């Protein structure tokens, strides 16, 4: 079996065909064997979603300037990306609410809400700039 190449030379197709087939056989032998798929369990998906929700939705207590305060963080989607909103409020002390929106890091979202609260507390005269300096 001979063929003419574009350069006009006669070459045998058989050696090229055998080399292609032998490379394919070697690749098949080296490829990992597929493992059987795990059965689909809805409980696994619900458990994974619960873990994500536990880590993204947060609510807790903190102390600011000797006062009892609470914080809350929740996720939201913006431009198909996960962002966090946070709030800090001290219900027995003031009606000020510190807020932070559009932070991709949940910890930064909480600290920015805390800073916003402190800035508002200084503006209202509830704390001095010296007292607030620890939060900046």
């Amino acid at each position: 079996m001979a063929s003419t190449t574009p350069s006009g030379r006669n070459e045998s197709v058989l050696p090229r065909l055998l080399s292609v087939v032998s490379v394919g056989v070697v690749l098949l032998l080296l490829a990992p064997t597929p493992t059987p798929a795990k059965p689909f369990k809805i409980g696994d998906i619900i458990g994974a979603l619960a873990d994500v929700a536990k880590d993204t939705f947060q609510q807790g207590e903190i102390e600011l300037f000797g006062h009892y305060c609470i914080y809350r963080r929740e996720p939201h989607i913006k431009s198909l990306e996960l962002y966090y909103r946070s709030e800090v409020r001290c219900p027995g002390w003031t009606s000020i609410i510190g807020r932070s929106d559009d932070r991709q890091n949940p910890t930064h979202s909480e600290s920015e809400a805390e800073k916003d609260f402190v800035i508002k507390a200084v503006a209202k005269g509830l704390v001095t700039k010296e007292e607030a300096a620890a939060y900046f």
Side-chain angles (χ1 to χ4, degrees), residues 18-130:
L18 287 174
S19 67
V20 169
V21 170
S22 61
V23 167
V25 169
V26 169
L27 289 176
L28 283 174
L29 291 174
L30 294 176
T33 57
T35 56
K38 284 177 57 175
F40 178 74
K41 293 183 183 175
I42 193 72
D44 293 342
I45 293 173
I46 292 172
L49 290 174
D51 288 343
V52 169
K54 180 182 72 170
D55 292 338
T56 56
F57 289 94
Q58 289 282 325
Q59 189 168 336
E61 302 171 351
I62 57 174
E63 186 178 310
L64 293 175
F65 306 107
H67 296 278
Y68 166 82
C69 302
I70 55 174
Y71 71 90
R72 188 183 73 188
R73 177 184 75 211
E74 62 185 33
H76 70 100
I77 302 296
K78 178 181 176 184
S79 300
L80 298 177
E81 293 184 325
L82 181 63
Y83 286 83
Y84 296 91
R85 288 187 183 120
S86 293
E87 285 186 357
V88 173
R89 57 179 77 210
C90 302
W93 179 33
T94 180
S95 61
I96 294 173
I97 300 173
R99 290 190 170 97
S100 173
D101 289 331
D102 299 335
R103 293 286 177 188
Q104 289 185 309
N105 183 312
T107 305
H108 290 161
S109 178
E110 290 172 16
S111 65
E112 287 297 315
E114 193 173 298
K115 285 180 187 178
D116 184 56
F117 179 91
V118 171
I119 289 169
K120 291 174 180 178
V122 169
K124 269 197 158 181
L126 297 174
V127 295
T128 65
K129 288 183 181 181
E130 292 78 25

